[in-house]
Amino acid sequence: MAEAPLFREPISPTSPVRGPRPQGVPLTVESKENTPSTAADPDLRLLRSPAEGVPDLIDSPTALEDAAHRLGRDNQPVAVDTERAQGYRYGGGAYLVQLRKDEVGSFLIDSRVLPDLSMLAPTMTGPWILHAADQDLACMQMLGLAPASIFDTEIAARLLGFERFSLGAVTEHVLGITLEKSHQNEDWSLRPLPIDWLRYAALDVELLAQLRTQMSLRLEDAGRMEWAEQEFVHELTHPLIPRDPSWRDLRGLGKVRTPLGLAVARELWTVREELGRELDVAPGRLLATNGIIAAALADPRSKGALTSIPEFRRTRARKHTDTWWSAVARAHALPEGALPDPKTPHDPKHVPAASMWKRLDPVAWERLQTMRALASRAAAPLGIQPEVVLEPRVQREVAWRPLAGDLDEALQSAGARAWQIDNLSRAITADTIASLR
C-alpha cells in the first residue's frame, strides 16, 4: 500500500497561515453535500487491507506475552479500538481489542479468552489515540488498562466543525482515504472470527496515528488545541459509567398513562432483564421494547390475548411465553398501593429525558429552550454544532431546576469545560438569566 498522504489543508481559504484564529471567525464547515466519497471523488483511495496484512489473532497467554514484548520496544502513542457485541449480548464488554504502534505493527487480541490485559500496561504509557473514546475506555478499564492521556479524533473533528464524525468520514476528509467499513454491526462474540472481520478490525487502528498528526495541526491552526486538551482531560476524569438500567427508560413509556399499564411494563421489563442476563443475550432480542409498550397499553387478560400482540409471536419471544404471561399476571395481582404512579414517570434521582419535560414541567421545558438557544448563539460564530459548545446533558442539568445563583457556576457544576463557559458567556443576555430563574 502506498504511504498515506501527510498533508495540511488550511482551515479556511482566507486563513492559510498557522496561528490562532481570531475569536468570532467561523471555521469552514464540512457539509454533507461536499463530503468526499469514492463515487464523487475518484482521487480518494479505498483502503481494503492493512499495510502489513491481517495480524494473527492473539488468543493465548503466550501470544499475549509476545505482544507485550513487541509493543514495549517503542514508546510512541498507541492506537486503540475495541469491538463489542451490542445488540447481541447482555452488557457492553469488548470481545476484540485492536492496538497499533506504527513502528511495531498492529495487534488483534481476543479479549473473550484473555479478559485480563494488564500486562500490557507498561507498554502503553504514551498517549492513546482513539475515535469516540468513551465506550472503548470503559471496555479497556474492564480489561485492566487505563491511559494517562488520550487523543480522541472524534472530539477533534467536532471542534473543527465537521458535520460527520464517523471514523470513515473523518479519514476521508482529512487523509483522502476511504476505509473498508462493511462489518460495523457484526456479533463480535462469535467464534471463530472470519478473516474479513479481522481485516476490518485492523483497519480501524491503521490510520489513527496519521489522523492525530494532521488533526493536531488543524487544531493548532484554529487556535483550538487547548479546547481539545480540556475535552480529552474531561473524558478521562469523567469516565462513562452507565447508570443502572431502569424500566422508566423504556422508549415509548410516555404513552402509558394508567398505573396498571405501568405495572405491566415494569414487570415485563424486569423479567426481560433477568432473562437477558441469565442467557447473555441483549434483552431487546428476547422481546422488543415495542412489545412491552403494546402489552402495557392493551392490558391483556389471558395468555392468548398477550400472544396476539405481534411482538410476542416472534420466534425468540415465543420461546418464553410463560415467562411473559407470569409477569403480566403479577402486575394484575398487585394491590392498588403497589402500582406505579403515572404522575412521576421518571427516576427522581436523575434528570428525565427531554421528551418528557413538556408534560412533567412546562416551565422547565421553557428553560431548556433558553439553554438550547444560548448554545446555538455561542456556536454560530465558531462554525461548530451547538452540542459541541454545550452537550445536551449539561443543558438539561442546568435547566431542570430554576437557576439559583451564577450561571457560570451552574454550568461548571454540571460539567461544562472552561472553554465552553468562556464562549457561552459571550452569548449570555439579561433575558437569558431572567428566563432561567
Side-chain angles (χ1 to χ4, degrees):
M1 182 190 75
E3 184 178 358
L6 289 176
F7 59 85
R8 288 174 54 200
E9 294 179 359
I11 296 299
S12 165
T14 62
S15 181
V17 181
R18 287 188 59 181
R21 172 174 299 279
Q23 292 292 340
V25 178
L27 297 176
T28 298
V29 179
E30 173 200 14
S31 70
K32 295 177 181 178
E33 289 74 23
N34 64 22
T35 299
S37 67
T38 52
D41 189 346
D43 293 331
L44 280 176
R45 288 178 289 145
L46 175 62
L47 185 60
R48 296 184 180 275
S49 187
E52 301 97 6
V54 180
D56 292 334
L57 183 64
I58 297 170
D59 57 3
S60 71
T62 301
L64 185 62
E65 289 176 9
D66 179 65
H69 176 72
R70 292 168 59 197
L71 283 164
R73 296 174 186 167
D74 185 271
N75 292 323
Q76 293 302 307
V78 56
V80 178
D81 191 31
T82 64
E83 302 296 345
R84 301 174 293 278
Q86 290 179 313
Y88 294 95
R89 298 290 180 177
Y90 191 90
Y95 288 88
L96 185 73
V97 172
Q98 305 102 282
L99 306 176
R100 178 176 176 81
K101 290 185 178 181
D102 279 356
E103 299 301 317
V104 180
S106 297
F107 301 83
L108 302 180
I109 303 171
D110 187 344
S111 50
R112 179 173 185 171
V113 298
L114 296 170
D116 182 358
L117 303 184
S118 56
M119 72 163 58
L120 299 179
T123 76
M124 299 174 64
T125 54
W128 291 14
I129 313 168
L130 311 98
H131 187 86
D134 52 1
Q135 293 279 357
D136 295 319
L137 290 174
C139 290
M140 295 296 280
Q141 180 73 38
M142 294 168 62
L143 296 169
L145 293 170
S149 62
I150 65 168
F151 187 100
D152 189 328
T153 54
E154 184 193 57
I155 287 177
R158 290 177 180 272
L159 290 173
L160 289 169
F162 290 20
E163 288 187 349
R164 296 172 62 228
F165 313 120
S166 71
L167 178 58
V170 173
T171 301
E172 288 186 5
H173 189 66
V174 177
L175 300 179
I177 298 174
T178 298
L179 295 175
E180 178 65 56
K181 301 293 289 182
S182 55
H183 298 290
Q184 290 176 286
N185 301 312
E186 307 289 2
D187 180 359
W188 289 90
S189 69
L190 296 178
R191 294 298 183 273
L193 289 169
I195 186 65
D196 285 350
W197 295 18
L198 296 175
R199 182 179 296 108
Y200 158 86
L203 286 175
D204 272 355
V205 292
E206 182 82 0
L207 302 176
L208 284 178
Q210 294 182 41
L211 278 179
R212 174 180 181 252
T213 298
Q214 293 302 314
M215 299 185 86
S216 293
L217 292 171
R218 293 183 178 212
L219 287 166
E220 289 171 359
D221 285 343
R224 297 181 180 182
M225 180 57 82
E226 184 180 348
W227 297 3
E229 289 171 351
Q230 290 182 31
E231 290 299 305
F232 300 156
V233 169
H234 179 80
E235 198 162 22
L236 279 180
T237 55
H238 296 77
L240 178 68
I241 302 176
R243 64 185 179 90
D244 292 337
S246 168
W247 68 276
R248 294 283 191 184
D249 298 327
L250 282 167
R251 184 181 298 274
L253 190 65
K255 302 174 186 176
V256 183
R257 303 298 178 86
T258 67
L260 180 56
L262 290 172
V264 168
R266 180 180 63 188
E267 296 301 321
L268 282 171
W269 178 90
T270 300
V271 298
R272 188 181 70 167
E273 284 290 309
E274 293 171 350
L275 197 57
R277 188 181 300 110
E278 176 186 341
L279 299 176
D280 191 20
V281 174
R285 291 180 69 82
L286 297 172
L287 176 62
T289 294
N290 287 345
I292 293 179
I293 301 303
L297 292 171
D299 189 21
R301 296 289 173 154
S302 68
K303 189 185 298 185
L306 180 66
T307 56
S308 70
I309 297 172
E311 288 82 0
F312 287 85
R313 295 202 299 269
R314 294 177 180 171
T315 302
R316 283 182 178 269
R318 199 165 58 241
K319 293 179 180 178
H320 307 288
T321 296
D322 289 343
T323 300
W324 311 134
W325 174 243
S326 295
V328 173
R330 278 197 302 275
H332 286 148
L334 289 172
E336 184 175 349
L339 297 175
D341 184 355
K343 296 180 180 179
T344 56
H346 71 279
D347 186 340
K349 297 179 182 178
H350 302 281
V351 175
S355 60
M356 306 169 70
W357 285 31
K358 271 189 176 180
R359 180 159 56 89
L360 290 176
D361 190 336
V363 177
W365 170 257
E366 292 302 322
R367 290 196 296 269
L368 182 59
Q369 305 320 299
T370 297
M371 290 302 301
R372 289 172 171 173
L374 172 61
S376 294
R377 288 199 303 275
L382 302 175
I384 59 180
Q385 298 297 314
E387 62 268 21
V388 179
V389 176
L390 193 64
E391 62 258 51
R393 177 192 61 79
V394 177
Q395 295 178 26
R396 293 193 299 272
E397 288 284 345
V398 174
W400 180 238
R401 297 172 184 85
L403 181 66
D406 182 73
L407 178 55
D408 284 3
E409 292 178 359
L411 289 166
Q412 183 178 15
S413 177
R417 274 68 81 194
W419 77 266
Q420 295 175 322
I421 294 173
D422 183 52
N423 282 287
L424 288 163
S425 296
R426 297 187 178 96
I428 293 173
T429 66
D431 286 344
T432 301
I433 301 299
S435 298
L436 292 173
R437 296 200 184 281

